[in-house]
């Protein structure tokens, strides 16, 4: 198995939202993740069912972020609304994801962690599978890209008992 980079997780502060906005606007991400304005992030950040996490490298530099929404819902569990890294293709996303699993399951009673991902984002789907997530289904034509095309999204999850056994 490939050695993953070391990633530490911390709760984001409101000042981290500029990093979040800048990171989700990296060239090439326009068809891989949604993008919010700083005002939309500020609204989401202040919601009681939302947590922003920042991934840091061993030097303490921010290298990615995760938005959890809903956070610890008694029925749905915890949804990873968005996960974005500054430098894709280097294992950082998977390391951030696995650190987030630990962070969530050690701090909540959440029975599952789940997300949806564009079907065409094959690198992310592979990283989620490698981290132990299962494919639960497909949401057909469930997102409209900026150019107007509609695309499908996979729903993937990791149950608490699967994480504990892994």
């Amino acid at each position: 198995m490939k050695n993953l980079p070391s990633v530490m997780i911390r709760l984001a502060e409101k000042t981290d939202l500029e990093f979040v906005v800048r990171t989700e606007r990296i060239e090439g991400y326009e068809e891989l993740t949604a993008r919010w304005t700083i005002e939309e992030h500020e609204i989401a950040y202040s919601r009681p069912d939302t947590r922003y996490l920042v991934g840091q490298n061993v030097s303490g530099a921010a290298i990615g972020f995760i938005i959890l929404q809903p956070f610890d819902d008694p029925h749905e569990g915890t949804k990873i609304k968005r996960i974005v890294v500054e430098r894709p293709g280097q294992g950082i996303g998977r390391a951030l994801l696995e650190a987030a699993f630990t962070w969530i399951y050690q701090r909540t009673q959440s029975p599952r962690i789940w997300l949806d991902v564009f079907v065409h984002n094959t690198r992310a789907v592979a990283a989620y599978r490698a981290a132990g997530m299962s494919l639960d289904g497909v949401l057909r034509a469930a997102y409209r890209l900026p150019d107007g095309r509609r695309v499908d999204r996979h729903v993937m999850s990791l149950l608490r008992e699967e994480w504990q056994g892994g």
Side-chain angles (χ1 to χ4, degrees):
M1 174 154 69
K2 178 179 172 182
N3 285 337
L4 297 177
S6 181
V7 175
M8 283 84 56
I9 295 277
R10 67 169 172 81
L11 274 171
E13 298 175 12
K14 197 167 185 180
T15 56
D16 291 311
L17 295 181
E18 290 178 16
F19 167 78
V20 167
V21 169
R22 186 173 59 251
T23 305
E24 67 187 12
R25 281 170 175 65
I26 290 173
E27 186 176 341
Y29 278 169
E30 58 276 356
E31 291 196 5
L32 300 179
T33 188
R35 294 173 168 175
W36 288 345
T37 65
I38 189 74
E39 294 81 15
E40 289 170 312
H41 279 292
E42 288 170 347
I43 291 167
Y45 179 85
S46 60
R47 288 176 49 160
D49 69 340
T50 302
R51 299 292 183 280
Y52 278 68
L53 304 177
V54 172
Q56 297 177 307
N57 63 19
V58 293
S59 302
I63 56 174
F65 72 88
I66 295 178
I67 303 171
L68 306 174
Q69 186 185 63
F71 176 69
D72 201 19
D73 180 89
H75 304 289
E76 291 186 21
T78 297
K79 180 182 182 186
I80 296 175
K81 175 83 172 168
R82 194 166 306 155
I83 177 171
V84 182
V85 297
E86 281 188 314
R87 293 188 329 257
Q90 299 179 11
I92 296 168
R94 180 168 161 207
L96 179 59
L97 183 69
E98 291 182 10
F101 293 162
T102 300
W103 191 94
I104 293 163
Y105 281 138
Q106 288 180 348
R107 287 167 177 78
T108 74
Q109 296 301 309
S110 188
R112 65 193 281 266
I113 298 169
W114 67 284
L115 54 77
D116 58 64
V117 57
F118 296 136
V119 170
H120 64 265
N121 191 349
T122 55
R123 182 176 15 213
V125 171
Y128 301 153
R129 283 185 185 274
M133 298 188 90
S134 297
L135 178 61
D136 294 343
V138 176
L139 300 168
R140 297 180 314 142
Y143 192 85
R144 186 174 53 85
L145 293 173
D147 66 6
R149 288 180 294 137
R150 298 212 57 94
V151 295
D152 297 345
R153 299 184 307 189
H154 285 307
V155 176
M156 300 180 78
S157 68
L158 178 71
L159 303 179
R160 179 180 288 273
E161 55 269 15
E162 294 167 340
W163 174 77
Q164 289 172 329

